[in-house]
Amino acid sequence: MIRVLVTDGMAESAVVELKTKGFEVVEQFYEPEVLGEKLKEFDVIVVRSKTKVRQPLIDKAVEAGRLKLIIRGGVGVDNIDVAYAKGKGIGVTNTPNASSGSVAELALAHMFAVSRYVNISNVSMRQGKWDNEKYEGVEIGGKTLGLVGFGRISRELAKKASALDMTVIYTNLTGKVNGFDEYEFCKLNDLLKKSDYVSLHIPFIKENGVTIGKDQLAMMKVGAFLINCARGGLIDEVALVEALDNGKLAGAGIDVFADEPTKNEALVNHPKVSVTPHIGGATKETQMRIGSEIVSIICEFFK
């Protein structure tokens, strides 16, 4: 029987479907020092963000020669040493279509929150304050949204932002994307200078370091907003707090952090910041879509 290890959770409907189709499914999180040995007992491992599948774990799994497939339930695969795993004959894939809409919605939610002080006024009212004269916000309609990266999530956000009367521009490592002429392609530096809102939608590559650091923040408009629902590490968090403190940026919406769970209290507690604990894909609909996609991947792989 083909055994599937699910370490970070999966929709119950998907677990039931896999079992119905004859797969054995074990739902259990293991610490790294234990996971390597456990992988010798499974043909497939399904992870989300919490579990990291690095070279030492892959080497342990290879000793038994049983592990054939690693699936990341979500968009990125930066928590997996993909090239190394493939070099050892282990397939690696993800579910790129499942969470595009939910992450785009969260990015938009953060844009609204920091534009209209939803984040901090919610807190102040719970403290018995009525600071209605203090929270004069800005409208997002008529503003320019700059998208850094133009994959599935970014395109979903572009569509939603356009419907809200925003002008959308984007930058992309591979250049202009065909079929999206309604949006202007820009180089990163030009995008930073033109945008009222900058939203990140790219993977974090450790070797490349931060994408938005002190120099990039300096290029942005005074009073601009920065949104990151992509990956932690893309923004220099110290430089971001400085830019918020000195008034360069009007606000930031952050769902992902350099270290998670984050201990950066200066950022989390900043009155100009809207924060969430890495919940971009945390909707019922996304979990159902991820589960269905995982079932399809496994069934196709072992047919």
Side-chain angles (χ1 to χ4, degrees):
M1 180 179 286
I2 295 168
R3 303 189 77 216
V4 179
L5 175 62
V6 179
T7 61
D8 301 334
M10 188 167 67
E12 183 60 29
S13 58
V15 174
V16 171
E17 187 174 355
L18 282 173
K19 290 179 178 179
T20 300
K21 292 179 181 295
F23 298 92
E24 181 181 348
V25 181
V26 176
E27 298 180 86
Q28 178 67 53
F29 174 79
Y30 293 104
E31 296 294 342
E33 58 270 19
V34 178
L35 181 57
E37 286 294 331
K38 287 295 180 181
L39 285 180
K40 296 179 180 181
E41 304 170 11
F42 292 90
D43 303 276
V44 183
I45 179 173
V46 178
V47 304
R48 293 295 302 274
S49 298
K50 188 176 181 181
T51 300
K52 318 296 182 192
V53 187
R54 302 301 185 195
Q55 290 187 20
L57 297 183
I58 294 168
D59 286 336
K60 281 288 185 182
V62 169
E63 290 176 8
R66 182 166 183 174
L67 187 67
K68 301 175 183 67
L69 180 63
I70 303 170
I71 302 175
R72 160 73 162 91
V75 178
V77 289
D78 43 315
N79 56 324
I80 302 168
D81 286 339
V82 178
Y84 191 79
K86 289 183 175 180
K88 297 293 184 178
I90 301 170
V92 181
T93 188
N94 60 348
T95 59
N97 301 309
S99 58
S100 299
S102 61
V103 178
E105 284 189 2
L106 184 64
L108 193 59
H110 278 299
M111 289 167 60
F112 277 119
V114 291
S115 299
R116 297 302 307 274
Y117 295 102
V118 176
N119 58 324
I120 191 64
S121 63
N122 184 282
V123 173
S124 67
M125 282 195 70
R126 294 169 191 269
Q127 296 171 342
K129 300 176 183 177
W130 189 265
D131 295 329
N132 61 334
E133 294 182 0
K134 186 177 180 180
Y135 299 129
E136 183 181 58
V138 296
E139 299 174 9
I140 68 173
K143 303 300 193 302
T144 297
L145 170 62
L147 301 171
V148 181
F150 202 62
R152 292 177 178 86
I153 295 170
S154 195
R155 294 171 196 176
E156 281 291 321
L157 181 54
K159 182 169 62 176
K160 298 176 191 301
S162 294
L164 292 166
D165 197 31
M166 298 190 80
T167 297
V168 177
I169 62 178
Y170 72 95
T171 190
N172 199 49
L173 282 176
T174 57
K176 185 176 180 180
V177 180
N178 293 330
F180 294 92
D181 293 339
E182 65 269 39
Y183 312 127
E184 179 189 352
F185 170 77
C186 301
K187 295 293 186 181
L188 176 60
N189 290 356
D190 290 333
L191 180 144
L192 294 174
K193 294 171 184 176
K194 293 180 178 181
S195 301
D196 300 294
Y197 297 79
V198 173
S199 187
L200 306 183
H201 300 280
I202 53 177
F204 173 68
I205 301 173
K206 187 176 181 180
E207 292 74 19
N208 295 349
V210 299
T211 298
I212 305 296
K214 196 166 188 175
D215 292 342
Q216 290 74 30
L217 290 166
M219 295 179 194
M220 294 177 65
K221 287 182 177 182
V222 174
F225 298 87
L226 181 60
I227 309 297
N228 186 15
C229 294
R231 283 290 180 266
L234 291 174
I235 299 172
D236 181 333
E237 293 179 355
V238 173
L240 173 58
V241 171
E242 289 177 357
L244 292 164
D245 285 341
N246 64 31
K248 175 66 177 183
L249 294 187
I254 307 294
D255 183 53
V256 290
F257 303 84
D259 295 306
E260 296 183 354
T262 184
K263 294 181 175 62
N264 191 340
E265 293 184 6
L267 180 60
V268 170
N269 294 321
H270 201 288
K272 294 182 180 179
V273 178
S274 172
V275 289
T276 44
H278 201 152
I279 59 170
T283 66
K284 291 182 174 66
E285 294 86 352
T286 290
Q287 299 314 307
M288 293 294 289
R289 289 192 295 265
I290 287 175
S292 295
E293 201 166 341
I294 288 170
V295 171
S296 297
I297 290 168
I298 292 174
C299 291
E300 179 66 22
F301 190 89
F302 291 100
K303 68 178 181 181

